Amino acid sequence: MRFPWLNVEVKVVDDFTEPTGEEHLALANMERWSDSLRTRIERACFADYLDKVDAIAATPPTVPVIKRPEHIWRHVEVESVRAQGPELVVVYAVPEWDIEEQHEWCIHGTDDLIYVGQVLCYYPNGYYGIEDFTNSARDYDEIIEKLEHLPQEW
């Protein structure tokens, strides 16, 4: 399957969930993912990057220099997608700034970003063992506003 915005092939995996027979609908939604969804993913990933840089006081070459949200795509490798029912796709990605933890991006429909963060095995009824503060899909604008000065200083 081709991943939107990157035009690269990614694996479709079917582990972690009981099949509903409607997973093909969620995968078809990927072709209609919106530009606003792409922007939210970029901003959530950028916020995750800034938060990581701040938390461990990282500097290059320990972390890549990413100065704008739309530049995250150069520093993320999308490995696979997993459809869960007719509406939900979970993307497995490896960001250069957090290779040990990796990422899941949970997308509902064509425009709803539910989760960006550490791989935790998202299920249709919610996360397993997650605290909301680890979800970069929430409050990313505030994090960016607070920390965007960090990579600008390098």
Side-chain angles (χ1 to χ4, degrees), residues 6-39:
L6 295 177
N7 200 28
V8 297
E9 282 293 321
V10 295
K11 295 182 292 191
V12 176
V13 296
D14 61 1
D15 50 354
F16 298 119
T17 60
E18 293 294 322
T20 66
E22 298 179 304
E23 287 74 17
H24 67 284
L25 298 171
L27 294 174
N29 276 341
M30 288 176 61
E31 295 176 12
R32 296 187 312 278
W33 281 356
S34 69
D35 286 337
S36 63
L37 174 63
R38 181 191 43 142
T39 299

Side-chain angles (χ1 to χ4, degrees), residues 44-117:
C45 286
F46 189 60
D48 183 80
Y49 161 77
L50 293 173
D51 193 45
K52 175 79 171 192
V53 165
D54 183 58
I56 64 172
T59 58
T62 306
V63 292
V65 177
I66 306 172
K67 294 189 175 194
R68 300 178 52 87
E70 60 271 20
H71 296 164
I72 64 102
W73 299 109
R74 298 179 209 154
H75 305 281
V76 173
E77 183 178 339
V78 176
E79 301 251 328
S80 65
V81 296
R82 180 176 77 243
Q84 295 185 189
E87 297 274 335
L88 187 71
V89 172
V90 179
V91 177
Y92 174 71
V94 180
E96 285 181 11
W97 62 90
D98 207 356
I99 293 171
E100 292 81 28
E101 297 296 335
Q102 295 93 43
H103 270 185
E104 281 187 337
W105 306 340
C106 303
I107 296 135
H108 183 265
T110 60
D111 198 44
D112 187 14
L113 182 62
I114 297 171
Y115 176 76
V116 169

Side-chain angles (χ1 to χ4, degrees), residues 36 39-48 50 69 113 135-149:
S36 63
T39 299
R40 282 194 294 280
I41 291 170
E42 290 169 354
R43 294 186 68 73
C45 286
F46 189 60
D48 183 80
L50 293 173
L113 182 62
N135 184 356
S136 293
R138 308 268 186 259
D139 303 324
Y140 52 78
D141 286 328
E142 290 84 3
I143 294 168
I144 291 171
E145 184 177 331
K146 177 182 165 191
L147 300 174
E148 68 185 336
H149 67 280

